[in-house]
Amino acid sequence: FQFNILYFDMLEKDTNSELNTFEDRGQDVFIANIYAQDFITKGYTAQLSFHYNEDGPSTEFDKNLFLVRPDLIGSVEAHEVKAKYIGWTGEGHWGRINISHFLYHAFGDDSLNNIAGQKIDIDAWALGLELSVDDDWVRYRFSFLHSTGDGNPEDDRGTGFDAILPNPNFVGGRNTYWIAQAIPLAGTGVQLVNKDSVFPSLRSSKLQGQANFVNPGIIIFNFGLDLNLTPTIRSTVNLSKLSFDETESMELVLNQSGIDENIGIDLSLGAEWRPWLNNNVILDFGTSVLFSGEGFRDIL
């Protein structure tokens, strides 16, 4: 067994370098977790965790003079987010099957959600499962991710899941178009999905914006291959099917009805070269493409 207790007094990030500044963000994050190794079966580690994110009301323009707090949609007023998370995660293997999974419930409140235009109670879920098996130099992977969306964005509940500071190595990770790219939501001051995130949270910025629990949510099915081509070259291929869970929040923000749930197909290829078989020099290469579905074309 192992446990950790952590507290972060968050600093403002520099917009372009993404490094810390010496300006206080007005955000406090508390985390407590406990690990159990060889849980139920040898080779599998389970974790229970609690996260608390208190992001106080503030007004912030980034270095490029864009408003990042509060978000430039709906009721543009400073507000406070108090979000709590309870999570069960695990990683390891059951026999030949490698497994990674997570299940998180977010709850708490937002004093004035921009899209809802009122105080909301947070009640959102996210789950993910990845199964893989090794066959000599090839690893076959299947993964699934579902974050709930908000089907009634004007009520007093926020059921669209958002994380504190996401950086997922899941459903293809940074090789995929959806995770690697920041995709703006046309005609608004927010992004459909932030760079190095997976949740379509409709927030201005992952680093400087606030978590938003009135969002469409997402469903992803992913199939991938990890190929150890040589001792120094490792390649990965990913094919993902992406769909929104609920589209009503985007319909309200864009004043546009009938947005389809189909985002499209994400295809990516990545390679890693470690010429000296150590971590002193690592070269990464990658390319990705999103074949847009009807829903992605609707919002653009």
Side-chain angles (χ1 to χ4, degrees), residues 91-245:
E91 187 168 56
H93 64 87
W94 291 61
R96 286 195 62 205
I97 304 298
N98 306 303
I99 181 172
S100 296
H101 68 84
F102 64 86
L103 174 65
Y104 279 102
H105 178 219
F107 58 101
D109 62 81
D110 183 342
S111 64
L112 178 60
N113 182 268
N114 296 46
I115 298 176
Q118 60 180 310
K119 179 181 178 180
I120 63 168
D121 294 321
I122 300 166
D123 183 15
W125 294 82
L127 64 92
L129 173 67
E130 179 179 283
L131 301 174
S132 65
V133 62
D134 296 316
D135 183 15
D136 197 0
W137 56 281
V138 181
R139 170 172 287 188
Y140 302 92
R141 286 185 289 102
F142 170 78
S143 50
F144 169 75
L145 183 147
H146 180 200
S147 68
T148 57
D150 197 325
N152 189 356
E154 295 183 278
D155 68 1
D156 61 354
R157 293 178 65 236
T159 58
F161 187 88
D162 195 10
I164 302 173
L165 197 65
N167 191 20
N169 183 19
F170 206 75
V171 288
R174 294 187 63 185
N175 285 315
T176 65
Y177 187 93
W178 180 259
I179 294 177
Q181 300 296 320
I183 303 176
L185 185 63
T188 71
V190 299
Q191 297 177 353
L192 175 62
V193 62
N194 301 133
K195 180 183 177 183
D196 295 333
S197 180
V198 69
F199 305 113
S201 56
L202 308 186
R203 63 199 264 187
S204 60
S205 163
K206 184 183 82 168
L207 295 177
Q208 295 184 277
Q210 291 175 292
N212 173 37
F213 296 90
V214 179
N215 66 64
I218 195 168
I219 300 172
I220 302 178
F221 293 91
N222 170 266
F223 176 74
L225 295 173
D226 294 331
L227 310 172
N228 292 311
L229 302 176
T230 74
T232 61
I233 300 176
R234 180 174 178 267
S235 182
T236 180
V237 181
N238 285 282
L239 180 68
S240 301
K241 174 68 173 66
L242 302 93
S243 303
F244 294 118
D245 184 47

Side-chain angles (χ1 to χ4, degrees), residues 254-275:
L254 297 174
N255 193 26
Q256 176 183 345
S257 62
I259 296 177
D260 194 81
E261 294 176 351
N262 180 23
I263 300 174
I265 301 293
D266 191 328
L267 177 63
S268 63
L269 171 66
E272 179 186 273
W273 181 34
R274 298 191 305 156

